[in-house]
Amino acid sequence: MKIWVNGGLYDEEAARVSVLDHGLTVGDGIFETVKAERGETFALTLHLERLTRSARGLGLPDPDLDEVRRACAAVLEANPMELGRLRITYTGGLSPLGSERGDTGPGLVVAVGETTRRADTTAVITVPWTRNERGALTGLKTTSYAENVVALARAKEAGATEALFGNTVGQLCEGTGSNVFVVLDGRIHTPPVSSGCLAGITRALAVEWTGAVETDLPLDVLETAEEVFLTSTLRDVQAVHRVDGRELTAAPGPVTAKAMRLFEERAAADRDPRLG
C-alpha cells in the first residue's frame, strides 16, 4: 500500500505522521471519504469544496486543492483496486500538547482502502445520544469521530450497520456516517441541514435527483414511515429493512427502489456532478 503523507508517496510501513500532530492529540482535523471505482473518483469536486468549507469552519488554512488532487491521483495509480474508499485527511499539523494550534502549517494524508459493494438493504437502530445542532463543529466533517465510534459499536451489537441520532429538540438528524430519508404518503423527506446533520454529498445529489423535500421531522417518524433509506459515499442509496424492532416489509419499497435506480443511472452518466 502506498500512502500520500505531507507532499510525497510512501510505502505503508514508512508513512508516518508525528505523535504531536494536532489531528492526533486533540482531533483538530477534517476529512473526506471519496468513492473510487477502478481508479476513477466520484463527485471529487463536491468533496473538495466541502473540504474547504470544513477547513474554514475549523479555522484551518484553505487546503491546496491542486495538491489534494495530485495526491488522490498518485494514491489511486499506485494502489489499483476495483472499489476503493479514498480518504483525505487534513489536520492542524505539529502543535503543542493542548488546544492551541502550532504555526508549522497543516498536514495532509491521502490513503485508499479496498472495500466491497454494500448490500441493497440494511438494519439501523436509534441511540439515546443527541446531535447538537448549535455546536461549534456542527456541519463540519471533522476527525472528532469518537461519538460515532461509540454509537456504531452499539449498532453492531444489535445486528445493525448504522445508528441514527436525534438532535437536542427531538428531531430526526442523521446517522454516524450517513444521512437518512423517509417516505411519507409516497413523498421523500430528509432532515434539513439546520437539524444538525452533515450536508452529505450523496444526500445533496439524492435531494436534487429525486425531488426529496427537506423537512423538520420528529425522531419517532421512524416508527410510522412507509419506507426509510440511507445515503452516503459508499452506501449510495441503501434501503432500510429494520429500524430498532420494527420490520419494514418488502424493502426496498417502490419509492426507495426508484431512488436507488435513479441515483445509479445519474452517477454512472456523470462521475463529477455539480449541484444546481
Side-chain angles (χ1 to χ4, degrees):
M1 183 69 68
K2 300 276 191 181
I3 300 173
W4 183 281
V5 181
N6 295 330
L9 205 58
Y10 296 87
D11 290 331
E12 184 176 354
E13 295 76 15
R16 297 288 183 267
V17 295
S18 171
V19 295
L20 299 179
D21 188 285
H22 227 211
L24 172 66
T25 56
V26 297
D28 178 25
I30 57 176
F31 76 99
E32 288 291 325
T33 298
V34 182
K35 183 168 65 173
E37 296 179 276
R38 295 175 294 279
E40 184 180 17
T41 57
F42 176 67
L44 181 60
T45 297
L46 291 176
H47 280 285
L48 295 186
E49 289 173 353
R50 187 173 65 182
L51 187 75
T52 300
R53 291 196 300 273
S54 292
R56 292 174 180 174
L58 212 58
L60 289 169
D62 282 5
D64 181 340
L65 298 187
D66 289 337
E67 180 188 5
V68 177
R69 286 184 181 275
R70 288 195 305 272
C72 291
V75 167
L76 291 174
E77 182 178 5
N79 303 284
M81 59 188 65
E82 186 70 16
L83 181 61
R85 177 199 302 263
L86 185 68
R87 163 83 179 226
I88 304 164
T89 307
Y90 187 69
T91 74
L94 292 174
S95 300
L97 288 174
S99 297
E100 184 179 1
R101 190 175 289 148
D103 57 8
T104 61
L108 174 66
V109 176
V110 179
V112 66
E114 195 161 14
T115 187
T116 57
R117 176 179 164 81
R118 55 95 177 107
D120 283 343
T121 73
T122 194
V124 304
I125 65 166
T126 55
V127 289
W129 309 294
T130 59
R131 288 293 201 225
N132 181 1
E133 69 278 8
R134 295 171 294 174
L137 302 184
T138 300
L140 308 181
K141 196 169 179 67
T142 77
T143 57
S144 300
Y145 239 52
E147 184 177 72
N148 293 323
V149 172
V150 172
L152 189 58
R154 172 75 65 89
K156 292 295 179 67
E157 291 171 0
T161 69
E162 183 60 299
L164 301 181
F165 293 89
N167 62 16
T168 65
V169 292
Q171 296 170 335
L172 180 63
C173 187
E174 65 178 350
T176 67
S178 67
N179 292 106
V180 58
F181 291 69
V182 299
V183 178
L184 304 171
D185 296 324
R187 190 77 187 272
I188 303 173
H189 299 260
T190 193
V193 173
S194 60
S195 71
C197 70
L198 183 71
I201 303 302
T202 308
R203 170 193 179 276
L205 293 171
V207 167
E208 186 165 295
W209 293 347
T210 68
V213 180
E214 294 184 310
T215 308
D216 287 321
L217 301 162
L219 184 60
D220 63 9
V221 72
L222 297 170
E223 299 173 8
T224 57
E226 298 148 26
E227 302 174 35
V228 179
F229 65 84
L230 306 176
T231 62
S232 75
T233 290
L234 295 175
R235 294 177 190 268
D236 293 332
V237 176
Q238 184 182 38
V240 171
H241 64 256
R242 176 166 57 85
V243 179
D244 294 324
R246 180 193 177 206
E247 296 286 343
L248 284 81
T249 58
V255 178
T256 301
K258 182 178 179 180
M260 293 169 73
R261 288 194 305 271
L262 182 61
F263 190 91
E264 185 174 0
E265 291 168 0
R266 294 288 297 265
D270 185 355
R271 302 303 298 169
D272 200 24
R274 304 296 196 274
L275 294 169

